[in-house]
Amino acid sequence: MNVVNKLNESTTIHWHGMHLPAVMDGGPHQIIPPNTVWQPYWKIKNNAATYWYHPHLHEKTQEQITKGIGGLLIVRDEIESALALPRTYSVDDIPLVLTDRDFNSSNQFTVVPYGDSMLTNMTLRAQYSLPAQVVRFRILNAAIERSFNLGFSDGRNFAVISSDGGLLNAPVTVTKYLLHAGERIEILVNLSGQKGTSIDLQAFNSLLGNNIPGGEQFTQGPFSNFLGHKDFNILHINIGNQTTNPITTIPTKLTANELLKVADVNITRKLTLSDSAGVSGILGPNALSLTINYLILTISSIKCR
Amino acid sequence: MKKAVYIVFILIQVNLYSQYNNLWIPDTLSGTQFNLTIKDTFAQLVSKGQQTITSGINGKFWGPTLL
């Protein structure tokens, strides 16, 4: 990677989800000063899936992400490539980066936890034409706080095929999927035989409780926003012609993940993570507030349950 | 009359609001070496009025999809 920082301030670029050495990670400690180049390198060890990269500078991450810095990483491997899945980028394999932003009266971003406007791939009120066949979406929640309770306007089924870390063993059929900030999924939806019609991919956030980001109804203060606890459109889909070699069925098996066995666990520790909307200082393991340079656990080669 | 003009005005507003924009899809870069340049720029994100000050990687906002 040749990462050139032409901003007037420092930044970092973190490779979110990538399995790599700590010195290549791009966390808050790996500052790229203005007008310098950072050249991390690593061997891809990840499973095929959708990952992303974004700034991670201490106390500047929210502002720099709000302004639009970020990108997707798509890893492919032999297992994924051997499956009959849609994989023609922008035709039947569509990246969707979900964010919400607040614009002031001069159309400029304001740096707030929740925006009033949905942006899909930085597009307001987005629409796209898709072929009448099985289509894949690679969906990233790149919002600052908001979760998206994803589903289609007609309540149709869709199949989740991949999570943050790679393919699931088999597709999981759902009608809703709650995607939290930073999380990625890949889904398949069958548009076969529906040429000339349209559907909407939506966030059904009115179904969320106020313990879920985006389910709250803040009417004032820094967290107040237009989209809270509401349903809204993410993508209007116009269904058009099939492509020449369409995928028309959803595979029944995808991969064989090797999971850690509970029986192999030799140390058990209990960590409780909690959050309270908008209240700082009580997010953290074992209800301790997170402080910089505070080491809670040192884990050497143990297996975690 | 004044009321009718006002209703027409509201209908136009609703129509403007419901207009869709074509989804932007990030470019791709593939291979084993990637050049990413982060810079401040601006983009017409809102259909009317001023452009928005943004930061992007190799473009106006967001960045390329790396394969």
Side-chain angles (χ1 to χ4, degrees):
Chain A
M1 296 283 177
N2 298 307
V3 185
V4 182
N5 179 10
K6 292 278 185 191
L7 302 173
N8 295 321
E9 61 182 13
S10 294
T11 190
T12 80
I13 292 291
H14 168 61
W15 317 102
H16 191 126
M18 282 281 123
H19 183 185
L20 39 63
V23 290
M24 306 297 172
D25 182 60
H29 56 296
Q30 283 171 311
I31 293 166
I32 316 170
N35 295 307
T36 61
V37 185
W38 181 51
Q39 296 178 300
Y41 56 90
W42 68 93
K43 193 177 170 193
I44 299 289
K45 291 183 172 179
N46 289 67
N47 294 324
T50 308
Y51 305 90
W52 67 303
Y53 56 99
H54 62 81
H56 213 319
L57 187 64
H58 183 52
E59 295 189 327
K60 281 281 187 178
T61 300
Q62 182 182 6
E63 183 186 325
Q64 293 186 347
I65 289 182
T66 295
K67 286 178 82 176
I69 306 173
L72 293 170
L73 286 151
I74 295 175
V75 172
R76 298 192 160 131
D77 64 15
E78 291 83 11
I79 294 170
E80 190 272 344
S81 299
L83 295 166
L85 292 172
R87 58 171 66 81
T88 308
Y89 187 81
S90 83
V91 176
D92 62 4
D93 184 352
I94 315 296
L96 293 179
V97 178
L98 312 185
T99 59
D100 53 311
R101 291 287 183 273
D102 214 16
F103 293 93
N104 68 15
S105 56
S106 310
N107 290 350
Q108 303 310 310
F109 292 135
T110 55
V111 180
V112 288
Y114 288 123
D116 286 339
S117 302
M118 177 69 208
L119 281 165
T120 305
N121 294 358
M122 299 301 274
T123 310
L124 286 161
R125 299 183 300 282
Q127 70 167 355
Y128 203 64
S129 293
L130 290 171
Q133 60 202 54
V134 173
V135 169
R136 178 185 198 164
F137 291 109
R138 300 171 183 268
I139 311 175
L140 161 68
N141 181 347
I144 302 297
E145 291 261 350
R146 192 182 305 281
S147 302
F148 298 95
N149 191 26
L150 302 170
F152 289 91
S153 48
D154 59 0
R156 72 176 58 201
N157 289 334
F158 55 97
V160 180
I161 59 165
S162 182
S163 70
D164 282 325
L167 290 168
L168 308 183
N169 287 347
V172 175
T173 303
V174 296
T175 58
K176 299 280 183 297
Y177 186 95
L178 180 58
L179 190 72
H180 295 294
E183 187 182 356
R184 289 87 57 206
I185 50 165
E186 295 178 22
I187 66 169
L188 298 180
V189 59
N190 197 344
L191 307 178
S192 298
Q194 295 153 55
K195 187 187 163 186
T197 64
S198 62
I199 53 164
D200 294 300
L201 174 63
Q202 295 180 312
F204 291 89
N205 283 10
S206 72
L207 302 176
L208 303 180
N210 68 358
N211 58 339
I212 307 279
E216 321 93 326
Q217 289 174 294
F218 295 106
T219 53
Q220 55 187 10
F223 287 84
S224 68
N225 70 98
F226 179 72
L227 300 175
H229 203 70
K230 282 189 186 150
D231 299 341
F232 51 90
N233 259 20
I234 289 172
L235 182 67
H236 181 69
I237 299 164
N238 300 305
I239 305 170
N241 289 323
Q242 260 192 0
T243 59
T244 43
N245 290 307
I247 302 288
T248 53
T249 56
I250 292 173
T252 52
K253 282 185 77 175
L254 298 168
T255 189
N257 285 305
E258 267 184 53
L259 303 179
L260 297 174
K261 292 183 187 71
V262 174
D264 292 342
V265 170
N266 53 13
I267 299 173
T268 301
R269 290 191 175 95
K270 191 177 175 188
L271 289 173
T272 307
L273 293 167
S274 63
D275 182 20
S276 176
V279 182
S280 62
I282 63 165
L283 170 71
N286 296 344
L288 292 166
S289 59
L290 283 175
T291 50
I292 293 173
N293 301 329
Y294 185 79
L295 191 62
I296 291 169
L297 281 181
T298 303
I299 299 177
S300 53
S301 59
I302 58 166
K303 287 174 182 168
C304 296
R305 176 180 170 182
Chain B
M1 181 61 190
K2 202 175 170 186
K3 212 172 193 178
V5 171
Y6 192 63
I7 288 168
V8 168
F9 181 72
I10 287 173
L11 285 174
I12 291 168
Q13 291 272 307
V14 168
N15 189 35
L16 278 176
Y17 185 77
S18 62
Q19 212 171 2
Y20 293 112
N21 300 303
N22 290 325
L23 179 75
W24 174 78
I25 303 263
D27 289 342
T28 59
L29 288 177
S30 56
T32 55
Q33 191 165 332
F34 299 94
N35 296 313
L36 304 176
T37 301
I38 311 164
K39 62 176 175 23
D40 286 325
T41 175
F42 42 82
Q44 193 72 51
L45 295 178
V46 180
S47 53
K48 283 178 77 178
Q50 276 180 260
Q51 298 194 74
T52 305
I53 297 167
T54 58
S55 303
I57 301 174
N58 300 0
K60 292 184 169 214
F61 43 70
W62 199 238
T65 299
L66 311 183
L67 303 174

